[in-house]
């Protein structure tokens, strides 16, 4: 008898016996799944509407989550399944196409988080891996991750692979959630195996349009829907990126997940920064290659921004430089009076495109291995409220502040529900 495979999709029914009596018995084996499904149907199993308020769980799936409450089942609590249990899972799992993972309007109800929220306790999303910031993307990996016991590999034989770092997920959700359910043009360098396309389409919704740039011609296999466009070329070449800019309108989100070499990352940011909309997002992943001197990355190990080569040639060096650019208004030393970019000569920094960046960048967010730039209007000026000003130096006794009175007055004007 053959040994049962690891995954349901690999289960073999190839029994080998000697006697003709046993041969006749083996004829019944392929019918076991059919009997299981019939019994499940009689027991009341139904695919139903998985987005309904009270969906019907699959009675045959011993590791099926409660789709009305998208909580994590810790790996330690998932029972070991027998060979025939795996057969039942193969034919009695809920339809993934109706999974609540695509629901956007009631994310809060279903346990997803808003930007910068934290869970009271870490949640397991893959066996042995937890997070205190559970997002859609953690949920996605819990459902489809190769290491997850929930993965429906049996039904996704042609599912495109996604290779990612889960510590990126919080950055993704914090800066992309405002585009969910809207029209969004997403451009990415680095299509690889195409797995991110499926995840992003489900995350953003039907308004999602994807433009993928890759040097591998095989990635054109993903250009099979009207929301996917694939461009083949070398992202380190400026002329190629300029052609892309002419072919496509400005994008909402630009993600550099391509070659990860210093030249590719720095060139992409210089050329493609202007092609991101005025309120868009620019993301560069895998900053760890700034310390990798092998494989053509041309980083420098055991270095940081104090090293001239690191500062002038690596992507992380450029990230440090952009923090200075964001504060260009104060370089002249006038703390109380911000300067316009015209006050600084273009050659003040070696990268002469710094002004274009400085006047359009609103935020810089740095996570481990990933940097996120948000574009937008950012007028730099100081202002004051009504009220008296306490002198800087000691000036004797002052009337004590009645905070209950102050808070009540503020609440009366703001309409705050807190009061005092």
């Amino acid at each position: 008898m053959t040994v049962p495979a690891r995954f349901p999709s690999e289960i073999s029914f190839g029994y080998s016996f000697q006697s003709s009596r046993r041969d006749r018995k083996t004829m019944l084996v392929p019918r076991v799944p059919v009997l299981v499904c019939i019994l499940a149907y009689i027991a009341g199993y139904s695919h139903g509407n998985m987005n309904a308020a009270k969906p019907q769980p699959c009675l045959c799936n011993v590791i099926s989550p409660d789709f009305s409450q998208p909580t994590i089942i810790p790996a330690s609590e998932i029972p070991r399944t027998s060979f025939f249990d795996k057969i039942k899972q193969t034919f009695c799992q809920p339809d993934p196409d109706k999974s609540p993972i695509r629901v956007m309007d009631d994310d809060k109800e279903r346990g997803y988080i808003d930007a910068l929220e934290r869970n009271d306790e870490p949640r397991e999303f893959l066996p042995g891996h937890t997070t205190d910031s559970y997002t859609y993307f953690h949920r996605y990996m819990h459902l489809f991750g190769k290491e997850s016991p929930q993965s429906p590999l049996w039904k996704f034989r042609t599912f495109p692979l996604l290779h990612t770092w889960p510590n990126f997920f919080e950055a993704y959700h914090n800066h992309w959630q405002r585009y969910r359910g809207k029209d969004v043009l997403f451009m990415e360098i680095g299509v690889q195996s195409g797995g991110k396309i499926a995840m992003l389409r489900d995350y953003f919704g039907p308004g999602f349009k994807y433009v993928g740039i890759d040097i591998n011609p095989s990635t054109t296999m993903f250009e099979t829907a009207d929301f996917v466009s694939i461009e083949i070329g070398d992202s380190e070449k400026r002329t190629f990126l300029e052609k892309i800019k002419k072919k496509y309108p400005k994008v909402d989100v630009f993600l550099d997940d391509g070659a990860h070499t210093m030249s590719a990352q720095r060139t992409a940011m210089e050329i493609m920064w202007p092609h991101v909309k005025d309120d868009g997002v620019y993301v560069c992943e895998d900053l760890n290659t700034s310390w990798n001197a092998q494989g053509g990355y041309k980083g420098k190990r055991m270095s940081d921004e104090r090293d001239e080569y690191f500062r002038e040639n690596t992507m992380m060096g450029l990230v440090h430089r952009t923090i200075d650019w964001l504060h260009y208004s104060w370089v002249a030393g006038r703390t109380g009076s911000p300067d316009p970019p015209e006050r600084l000569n273009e050659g003040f920094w070696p990268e002469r495109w710094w002004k274009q960046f400085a006047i359009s960048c609103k935020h810089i967010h740095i996570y481990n291995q990933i940097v996120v730039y948000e574009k937008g209007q950012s007028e730099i000026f100081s202002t004051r409220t009504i009220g008296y000003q306490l002198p800087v130096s000691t000036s004797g006794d002052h009337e004590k502040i009645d905070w209950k009175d102050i808070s009540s007055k503020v609440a009366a004007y703001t309409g705050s529900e807190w009061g005092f």
Side-chain angles (χ1 to χ4, degrees), residues 367-402:
Y367 303 76
N368 194 308
Q369 296 176 261
I370 183 172
V371 61
V372 181
Y373 297 98
E374 294 216 16
K375 299 179 77 170
Q377 179 183 354
S378 182
E379 185 180 3
I380 309 300
F381 70 102
S382 65
T383 185
R384 303 178 182 182
T385 68
I386 57 173
Y388 68 87
Q389 181 176 354
L390 189 69
V392 175
S393 59
T394 302
S395 56
D397 295 332
H398 296 275
E399 182 181 351
K400 302 297 183 182
I401 293 293
D402 182 349

Side-chain angles (χ1 to χ4, degrees), residues 23-37:
D23 285 339
R24 288 194 297 272
K25 287 184 178 180
T26 59
M27 298 297 292
L28 296 176
V29 175
R31 295 172 184 165
V32 170
V34 178
L35 291 173
V36 170
C37 289

Side-chain angles (χ1 to χ4, degrees), residues 91-371:
F91 292 90
C92 299
Q93 290 222 20
D95 189 349
D97 293 337
K98 298 178 181 178
S99 163
I101 198 169
R102 66 181 65 252
V103 176
M104 292 184 290
D105 295 335
D106 58 348
D107 278 356
K108 192 74 173 176
E109 234 176 76
R110 294 179 177 271
Y112 299 118
I113 65 166
D114 290 330
L116 303 182
E117 277 195 18
R118 296 290 186 271
N119 300 326
D120 293 335
E121 296 181 3
R123 298 179 64 181
E124 189 176 47
F125 63 99
L126 286 175
H129 299 283
T130 61
T131 178
D132 64 351
S133 305
Y134 189 73
T135 68
Y136 164 94
F137 302 102
H138 294 92
R139 170 77 170 151
Y140 188 91
M141 290 305 295
H142 179 66
L143 291 176
F144 302 110
K146 187 175 181 179
E147 300 174 3
S148 174
Q150 308 253 12
S151 293
L153 184 61
W154 55 274
K155 205 167 185 178
F156 287 78
R157 292 180 181 275
T158 60
F159 200 67
L161 180 142
L162 169 62
H163 181 201
T164 188
W165 295 85
N167 55 283
F168 293 168
F169 295 165
E170 187 175 352
Y172 288 171
H173 187 64
N174 286 352
H175 305 284
W176 295 350
Q177 61 176 316
R178 59 189 167 103
Y179 295 109
R180 300 188 76 182
K182 301 178 181 178
D183 291 339
V184 54
L185 180 55
F186 191 107
M187 183 176 287
E188 177 182 27
I189 296 179
V191 179
Q192 204 183 47
S193 298
K196 194 177 292 174
I197 301 174
M199 180 179 71
L200 294 177
R201 171 60 171 76
D202 194 64
Y203 178 74
F204 288 112
F208 171 70
K209 301 291 184 184
Y210 178 87
V211 179
I213 300 170
D214 206 286
I215 200 169
N216 183 1
S218 295
T219 56
T220 55
M221 65 178 287
F222 304 116
E223 199 173 23
T224 55
D226 58 1
F227 69 89
V228 178
S229 299
I230 304 296
E231 298 292 336
I232 304 301
D234 187 351
S235 61
E236 289 195 49
K237 294 183 178 179
R238 294 170 177 265
T239 53
F240 172 70
L241 292 179
E242 291 292 351
K243 289 180 180 178
I244 295 295
K245 289 168 63 176
K246 292 178 181 178
K247 184 173 181 178
Y248 295 95
K250 288 189 175 184
V251 302
D252 297 288
V253 179
F254 185 92
L255 174 60
D256 183 358
D257 186 21
H260 310 316
T261 66
M262 301 306 98
S263 174
Q265 290 176 332
R266 292 175 69 105
T267 298
M269 186 166 179
E270 178 183 352
I271 303 300
M272 302 307 295
W273 174 264
H275 203 62
V276 177
K277 291 181 181 179
D278 292 342
D279 61 347
V281 181
Y282 187 101
V283 184
C284 182
E285 294 183 354
D286 297 295
L287 299 177
N288 54 328
T289 56
S290 288
W291 289 274
N292 192 336
Q294 301 177 345
Y297 293 115
K298 296 186 178 180
K300 187 173 183 180
R301 64 184 298 272
M302 302 301 293
S303 299
D304 59 22
E305 73 282 357
R306 294 171 294 181
D307 180 86
E308 183 179 359
Y309 177 88
F310 188 91
R311 186 172 59 249
E312 304 297 336
N313 295 280
T314 69
M315 184 60 194
M316 199 64 198
L318 181 60
V319 171
H320 281 279
R321 186 66 57 77
T322 59
I323 296 175
D324 292 338
W325 296 350
L326 186 67
H327 296 86
Y328 72 88
S329 300
W330 314 106
V331 173
R334 287 179 282 272
T335 307
S337 177
D339 286 325
E342 293 77 25
R343 294 290 294 270
L344 282 179
N345 187 288
E346 269 190 3
F348 185 81
W349 282 292
E351 300 84 2
R352 292 185 172 270
W353 57 280
W354 72 265
K355 282 190 178 181
Q356 192 174 45
F357 173 91
I359 61 177
S360 56
C361 180
K362 189 172 186 178
H363 305 145
I364 301 177
H365 304 262
I366 302 176
Y367 303 76
N368 194 308
Q369 296 176 261
I370 183 172
V371 61

